[in-house]
Amino acid sequence: MGARSEWIGLIIFLVVCFAVAGLGGMATTPEIPNWYQRLAKPSWTPPNWLFGPVWTVLYVFMAVAAWLVWRRAGWHGSDGALTIFGIQLALNLAWSFIFFKFHLTGWAFAEVALLWVAIAVTIVKFAPISTVAALLLVPYLLWVTYASALNFTIWRMNG
């Protein structure tokens, strides 16, 4: 694989990850000033402006992690790691719709638990191929852990 195709691969992973971010944003953004603003939230809820920068960094990390695995092992040589990565990306997107668009906070919590497991499995599958790729997903897992607790608390506070 030439250097040019490797960089094209990175661009493709970035485009895919940010397409998911954009689609999720379409479900999320219209709900923030109305529905989300009216929800009872715990005191440890971050300010709304923080979510965009955090997710931007996390999507870059996700794309680079997947690219590192792809570059080293290829799609078929990754032993399903890139398939699991794709599944967690789909779950990531689904959560935005379940929580923000459909206002199903309890179902969103159940779904984010599946997302958490998918991220953890992705890290485990990435680790033998690229330690750096696995480590790049750790902040994502930590943020989703925090977001899961926030989702659970919002669900419980709002019936």
Side-chain angles (χ1 to χ4, degrees), residues 13-154:
F13 280 109
L14 285 164
V15 166
V16 167
C17 287
F18 279 97
V20 167
L23 290 169
M26 289 171 51
T28 302
T29 304
E31 302 300 326
I32 291 173
N34 300 310
W35 175 76
Y36 184 74
Q37 196 64 33
R38 290 191 305 265
L39 289 173
K41 293 181 273 306
S43 60
W44 43 273
T45 302
N48 291 342
W49 64 263
L50 185 62
F51 288 95
V54 168
W55 277 111
T56 299
V57 170
L58 294 176
Y59 281 114
V60 169
F61 283 7
M62 282 185 251
V64 172
W67 173 70
L68 288 170
V69 168
W70 171 78
R71 198 178 77 180
R72 177 147 315 147
W75 190 270
H76 298 293
S78 73
D79 189 32
L82 290 171
T83 300
I84 298 296
F85 176 83
I87 290 168
Q88 71 76 27
L89 208 54
L91 289 167
N92 176 305
L93 175 59
W95 182 88
S96 297
F97 280 85
I98 296 167
F99 186 89
F100 282 103
K101 185 73 174 170
F102 303 126
H103 308 165
L104 299 170
T105 56
W107 284 107
F109 177 69
E111 197 276 352
V112 81
L114 292 175
L115 172 59
W116 191 96
V117 169
I119 297 165
V121 170
T122 302
I123 290 170
V124 169
K125 297 285 275 181
F126 275 19
I129 301 166
S130 170
T131 303
V132 173
L135 291 173
L136 281 169
L137 295 181
V138 170
Y140 177 34
L141 185 65
L142 294 173
W143 182 258
V144 169
T145 301
Y146 172 71
S148 299
L150 185 60
N151 184 156
F152 178 81
T153 306
I154 289 171

